[in-house]
Amino acid sequence: MTEGAEVGVDLSPTSGSEQQAPHFLQDVIFHGKFKLLKALTPEENTQCQHGLYFQDGQRRVDYVLTCHVKKPAGARSSRPTSHLLTENAVARSFRRGRNEHLRNHKAQKARDSSSLPSSPVADVELGHPGETVNGHEDQKMFRREEFEGKLRDMGLELEKDEDTKIAGVGFVKIHAPWNILCREAELMKLKMPTKKVYEVKQLSGVVEKICSLACKLVEPLHPHVEEHQPQNIKHLSHTFSREKQHLFDLSDKDNFFDSRTRSSIVFEILKRTKCKAKYSMGITSLLGSGIYTAAYPLHDGDINEESAVHNDRRLLYEEWANYSVFFKYQPIGLVRKYFGEKIGLYFAWLGLYTQMLIPASLVGVIVFLYGCATVDDNLPSMEICHPKNNITMCPLCDKVCSYWKLSTACGTARASHLFDNPATVFFSIFMALWAAMFMEHWKRRQMRLNYEWDLTGFEDEEDHPRAEYELRVMQKTLSKDQKSHHKTEKLTCQDRLPAYMTNIVMMLLMIGVTFAIVFGVILYRISTKAALYMSSNPVTRSHAQLTVKTTAAIINLVVILILDEVYGAVARWLTVLEVPKTDKSFEERLIFKTFILKFVNAFSPIIYIAFFRGRLVGRPGSYLYVFESYRMEECAHGGCLMELCIQLSITMLGKQLIQNNLFEIGVPKLKKLIRYIRSKQGTFQEEERKKRLQRYETDHFLEPFAGLTPEYMEMIIQFGFVTLFVASFPLAPLFALLNNIIEIRLDAKKFVTELRRPVAARAKDIGIWYNLLRGVANVAVIINAFVISFTSDFIPRMVYQYMYSPDGSMHGFVNHTLSYFNVSHFQEGKEPMDPLHLGYHVEMCRYKDYREPPWSATPYEISKEFWTVLAVRLAFVIIFQNVVMLMSDVVDWLIPDIPKDISMQIHKEKILLVELFMREEHSKSRNLDSRVSGGGKSNSSNSNNNNYSTTVHPRSGPHNSTGSL
C-alpha cells in the first residue's frame, strides 16, 4: 500500500454462523476462512491512496464518520507502507481484536451499571459537571462502539482509520454490500431502470423541422456531457424489488447503484439506527453531542488537471462550475446524478428564472431608453427648467433653510422622468404577466424533470422524527406516572404553548426593531440635512439633498446586511424552541420565519419612501414635528419616485454584490483556511500534505453543507426587488440577470469545490418556495398599483390633462399642483433666518399640495382637486389590480401544467409496464406447466430466460430490444 495507508482491519459482519463470532475473530474471518490480504496492483493501490475504497481496494467507501481521537505522546505521524499481511500481522490483528473484545465487554458492563438508578455515571447528553475529561471521552468511545456495533448488525461494513495525518481526527469508513443496497432500495421504493427500453416518439411535420433547426442553432450553448445528447431511447423504470431482480440489468452490480444512491441508502440506515443511552440516540444526536464530529459522503475524486481519473466531479467543474462557460446551459441531468434531485431542482429553477429575466430585462431597458428619449419633450420638466420660471418655493426646513427657486430642481425633475413616464405603467402590467408566465413555465419544466428523473409516482413519505423531538417525548414520558408508560406520548399544542408565545413575542419584537431602525434613519436624514444647510460652503448647501439621500441609503444597506444575519439566527432559535417533529416540518417553519423577518428588513425602508414619506408633513405654518423639534421630511418637487429608485438600486445592488457574492466567496474559503490551520502538522509542507491526503481526509477540510435555504432565500428576496417596485426601477430585471449569471457559476463552484458532498435527497418540487413565489407575485400587483397611483405623478397628470387643462395638454400642470402660502403666517421662530437670500423680499411662497389659497374663505383647507385626484387614484388601484389578476388567471388557464407530450409518454409507460408484468406472469405459468408435464429443470430455466428476452419487447425481435411510443 501507499505511504500513510494503514493495513485495513475489516469490521464487517460475516454470513451464517460466523455472525455470532466475537469481533476480534470477525476482523480476519472472511466467509469461514482465514485469508491474507492480497498485495494490491498499482491501479488498486492508486484507488486506495485516493481513499475512495477500503484497504482491500475492492469495497467502495459509501460514507464517512469522523470522531475525535487522542494519540499517545510518542505516536508517529506517518504509517509504514506494507503490501502483505504477514503471519505476525495476523497475530497482531488477533491480539488487537481480543483486546477490543475485552474493552467492549467492559464497556457493556459499564453501560449496564449506568442504567441502574444508583449509578453516579452521568449521561453523554447531560454532561455531568463532576466527571473528568477522560471519563467523558470514555463515554463517547463507548457510545461510538455501541453505535458501530448496531451498524454492523444492520449489515454495513466498517473500517477504521485512526492513524491519519489530521491530528486528533479518526475516520470510520462505511461500505454497504450488495444485499444491503437491495434491501434498502426496496424499503425506500427507489425507481431503477429495467432492461425494457422504448423509443420516445418524436415530433413530426413542420414542428419537428422547427425544433431540429432550433436545436442546431443552440447546439454551441449545450455543455459537452452525455446528458445533453439527443436521447430517443429511454429505460422503463420500476420500483426496485428483490423478487423481480431479473427485470433489471444487473450485469454490472458495482455500478447499478451509483455513488449518490449508495450514500443516500447508508444515510437512511444511519438515521434509523439508534444506540441506547439514557435516551435513544441517533446519528443526529451523536453529532450534536460531539460523539461524532462529522458525517458525510465522499466526492468522486479530484478536480485538478493532473488527475488521470476522469469523474463526474471533474466533469461538473469543467462544464458547469467554471466562469468561462457562463453562456452555456447547465448540465442539470449531471447535477442531479451527482447531488440528487433536490439540488438539481434548485439549479433547474435558478436557470429557468435567469432565462426568463432576459425578456424582462430587454423590456425594462426599452422603457428606460424611452424615458431618456422623451425627457426633452416632457412639458412639466420643461416648465420647471425654463429660465423665465420665477416661482418661489417655501423653505425645506425651519430657520436655516431659506426660500428657493423652483428652477433649481430642474435636474431632479428631468431625472424623475426617466422612471416616471407612461411606459412604466405598461411595464408594470408586463411584469405581472411575466411573473404568471414564469410560474406556469416552471410548473411545466418541473413536470418534465419529474418524468426524465422517474419521479412521476414519487410521494413524500413520513419522515423519521427528529432526535430533539424524540428526546422531548422521552422526557415527557418519564415525567408521567408509571401507570401511563404504556401509552404513546407525543407533544401537544399545550406542550408547545410557551414556545408559540415566545415565537409571537420575538417576531413582533424583531419587526419592531426594524421599524425603529427605519425611524432612526429618518431622524438622521432630518438632522443631517439641517446641518448641511447651515454650512457656509455653497457647494455643500447645493448638494445637501443628494448627500443625505445617498448616505441614508448606504446606512440602510449596512443595517440590512447586519440584521439579515441576526434574523437568520433568531429564526433558527425560535424554530428549535417549537421542537418540530420531522426535518421537513422544521425546514418549512424555519423558512417561513426567516422569510418574514428578512422580507420586512429588506423592504421596510423602501415601503416608507414609497408610501409614507412626504404624506405626513403638514403644510407651511402648521408642519408636523417629531419630538417637537424635527420636522418630517418632504419629497423633492419631482416626487419621491427618484428617491425610491436610489434606495432600491443601492439596496439591491449592495445585497447582491456584498452579501450574495462577496460573502459566498470569502466566508467558505476563510472557514476552510481556519479548519486547515487548526489541524496542520508542522512536519508536513503544504504541497506535500495535499499530495498524501486521502479523499476522506481532503473532504474533511471542506465546509459542511448547510442546506438550500440561504440560496433560495436570496433569490426570493431578489424576486421581490424585481417585481414589487418595478414601476419605479425598470432596470431591476437587468441587474438581477447580470447577478444571476454570476450566481449560477458561483453556487456551482461552491458545491463542487468548497462544500462537502451533500447527501442526495429526493424531491419532486421546490416545496414551500413555490408558494412564497406565488405570494410575492400577487403582492407585487397590488404594490405596483399603489406605486403608480400614489407615488408617481401619473394620476395627477392624467386628471389635469383630461379635467382641468384648458387645451387638453400638460401646459400649466406644475402651477396647478402648487398651492400658495403667505409668509406672514409662519409660526413664531420657524421663519427663515435669511429672508433676503434670493435678493428680494418674499410675500408669497409656493408648496406642493392641493390646498385653498390664503385669500379664500377657507384658507389652507384641502381643495376639491385633492379629492378628485384621490378618487381617481383609488379607482385606478382597483381597476389595475383586477385587470392584471384576471389576465394572470387567463395565462394560468391557457398554459397547461403538464406538457402534452409528457402526459402521453407517462400514459404509455403505464401501458408498457402492465404489458411487461402480464408477459412475466404468462412466462411463469408456461414454465410451471412445463415442469408439471415432466420438463427438465434446466430446460425450464433456459426457457424462462429465452422467453423473457423475446417477449419483453413485443414490437421487436429477439435481437432488437426497443419498443415504441
Side-chain angles (χ1 to χ4, degrees), residues 688-704:
E688 198 67 18
R689 180 182 179 85
K690 288 183 178 179
K691 291 180 181 179
R692 298 183 180 182
L693 285 180
Q694 303 281 353
R695 176 79 266 154
Y696 50 86
E697 294 173 327
T698 304
D699 288 358
H700 178 74
F701 291 110
L702 300 179
E703 181 73 10

Side-chain angles (χ1 to χ4, degrees), residues 67-209:
C67 58
H68 177 72
V69 295
K70 294 196 305 179
K71 291 185 178 181
R76 290 178 298 176
S77 59
S78 61
R79 292 158 292 185
T81 303
S82 177
H83 296 281
L84 294 174
L85 183 62
T86 62
E87 295 181 2
N88 292 333
V90 172
R92 288 196 302 269
S93 180
F94 266 111
R95 289 195 298 268
R96 187 165 57 246
R98 183 178 65 251
N99 294 336
E100 182 184 356
H101 179 65
L102 293 176
R103 286 198 304 270
N104 291 344
H105 181 67
K106 293 178 180 179
Q108 183 64 41
K109 292 180 65 177
R111 286 194 295 271
D112 293 340
S113 62
S114 66
S115 62
L116 297 176
S118 59
S119 175
V121 179
D123 189 69
V124 172
E125 302 97 306
L126 301 180
H128 194 282
E131 67 182 352
T132 63
V133 176
N134 291 333
H136 193 61
E137 290 299 324
D138 289 342
Q139 285 287 332
K140 289 183 177 181
M141 183 183 67
F142 295 155
R143 294 287 177 256
R144 285 196 294 268
E145 291 176 351
E146 181 183 2
F147 184 71
E148 291 163 12
K150 293 292 182 65
L151 293 180
R152 290 190 290 269
D153 293 341
M154 294 292 291
L156 298 178
E157 299 177 359
L158 312 182
E159 184 177 76
K160 286 186 177 181
D161 186 1
E162 296 184 350
D163 189 13
T164 65
K165 301 183 183 67
I166 305 177
V169 179
F171 296 88
V172 179
K173 295 172 283 185
I174 303 176
H175 169 77
W178 169 255
N179 60 324
I180 303 303
L181 293 173
C182 294
R183 181 193 72 195
E184 295 299 322
E186 184 174 356
L187 292 176
M188 296 170 63
K189 300 179 181 178
L190 297 181
K191 272 192 171 183
M192 304 301 294
T194 64
K195 296 178 183 178
K196 172 70 175 179
V197 294
Y198 62 89
E199 183 179 359
V200 178
K201 185 178 180 181
Q202 301 296 314
L203 299 174
S204 58
V206 180
V207 178
E208 180 186 10
K209 295 181 180 179

Side-chain angles (χ1 to χ4, degrees), residues 634-745:
E634 296 182 57
C635 290
H637 185 76
C640 284
L641 203 66
M642 188 62 193
E643 298 180 31
L644 177 61
C645 177
I646 293 175
Q647 178 69 57
L648 192 65
S649 59
I650 291 179
T651 304
M652 180 179 179
L653 295 178
K655 278 181 66 67
Q656 291 182 164
L657 293 177
I658 298 176
Q659 189 178 43
N660 298 354
N661 294 332
L662 186 61
F663 284 4
E664 286 191 10
I665 296 174
V667 172
K669 289 186 177 296
L670 182 61
K671 290 182 177 179
K672 181 181 178 181
L673 179 62
I674 294 174
R675 192 181 298 109
Y676 181 81
I677 292 175
R678 285 180 176 176
S679 59
K680 186 176 181 181
Q681 297 179 8
T683 56
F684 286 95
Q685 296 297 327
E686 183 175 351
E687 295 78 7
E688 198 67 18
R689 180 182 179 85
K690 288 183 178 179
K691 291 180 181 179
R692 298 183 180 182
L693 285 180
Q694 303 281 353
R695 176 79 266 154
Y696 50 86
E697 294 173 327
T698 304
D699 288 358
H700 178 74
F701 291 110
L702 300 179
E703 181 73 10
F705 175 64
L708 290 170
T709 299
E711 316 298 336
Y712 273 115
M713 188 64 67
E714 67 184 59
M715 288 296 107
I716 296 295
I717 298 297
Q718 185 200 85
F719 184 77
F721 283 116
V722 169
T723 56
L724 290 177
F725 295 92
V726 72
S728 62
F729 191 39
L731 295 179
L734 176 62
F735 290 127
L737 173 64
L738 297 177
N739 173 81
N740 288 3
I741 291 175
I742 301 174
E743 179 74 18
I744 290 176
R745 306 303 165 179

Side-chain angles (χ1 to χ4, degrees), residues 394-403 529-531 533-534 541 623 625 628-629 631 826-837:
C394 296
L396 295 176
C397 61
D398 295 336
K399 292 185 179 182
V400 296
C401 299
S402 186
Y403 306 106
K529 183 171 67 174
Y533 275 116
M534 293 176 64
R541 291 197 301 269
Y623 282 115
Y625 289 90
E628 299 181 357
S629 57
R631 197 176 101 186
F826 271 121
Q827 293 176 327
E828 184 178 356
K830 304 297 184 182
E831 63 275 2
M833 298 173 59
D834 185 12
L836 299 177
H837 173 71

